Amino acid sequence: MCCITFFWALFFVSTSLNAAKVLKVGVYNNNPTIFMDGEGRASGLFIDLLEDIAAQENWQLQYVFGQWAGLYDLLKNGEIDLLPAIAFSKKREEFFDYTDETVMSNWAQIYTPASASISSILELEGKKIAVKAGDIHFEALKKLTNDFNITCRFIEAEDYETILEMLDANYLDLGVVNRLFGNRNRNRFKVRVAPVVFNPIEMRYAEPKGREREIISKIDAHLVSYKYHQDSLYYKATKRWSLEENNAGVPKQFWYLLAAVFSASVLFLGGCMLFRDQVKRRTRELTLV
């Protein structure tokens, strides 16, 4: 009887040790980094990487699909264990622990209906602008418009797709969409990309604060290994989702801005030199008199 009890106890201990760790993972619509596909399955770059890591770490992933703002609150309250494809910020670090490794870089772009266009941030004056609720780019744009004393009206939408739909219908003047989602989805709508970009960010994984970095430390280790090997899943996945970092590059608007600054600097220096020559010539004339 003792032997039977011993073997049963050993069986349950072994089963407990081998049981997969269950993780509740937030999924929101931000194709191609993370989204729920037409068959109801979690998909995207961050999901490809996470599922490979989970298989190696014996994690069981339970996906919780929702809108960004709702998932943000769930993570903040510790009701989900992990949120992929979340932008890093110092302010958010008060509530979340992030991976040290960045998966992708991103930034915000301004979109207009196909029949309209703008060329600078100053043209936001008086406009109705669609933004995603709780989006880090929304917060950045509010600060930007305040700094430039621009008065505009923000219309909050649930996701980027809704923003593009409203622009397609000419319901709003402008919309703010991150460049990855925009590049992937803009051809489905009658919209135009404006030469206005802002708020570069780093996209990572995050868990609730105070979990002793148990999950994200392991994710970090795998990300470092992925990036070290050129034939790893990381590079295959970025290619699959057309997100190669080398091809992402710096937006051409940056180079336009740099050229404009350089030109202004040259004109300024040229003006200074001309003014200095005029002063010298006038000084000589006065000396001769």
Side-chain angles (χ1 to χ4, degrees), residues 18-21 23 50-60 214-215 217-219 221-222:
N18 293 325
K21 183 179 182 65
L23 296 180
L50 182 60
E51 289 188 343
D52 187 70
I53 294 170
Q56 298 180 61
E57 295 291 342
N58 195 28
W59 295 340
Q60 180 183 337
E214 177 186 0
I215 303 302
S217 292
K218 291 182 178 180
I219 294 176
H222 285 280

Side-chain angles (χ1 to χ4, degrees), residues 207-222:
E207 65 180 7
K209 198 75 173 179
R211 296 283 179 90
E212 298 182 354
R213 302 182 65 87
E214 177 186 0
I215 303 302
I216 58 174
S217 292
K218 291 182 178 180
I219 294 176
D220 263 329
H222 285 280

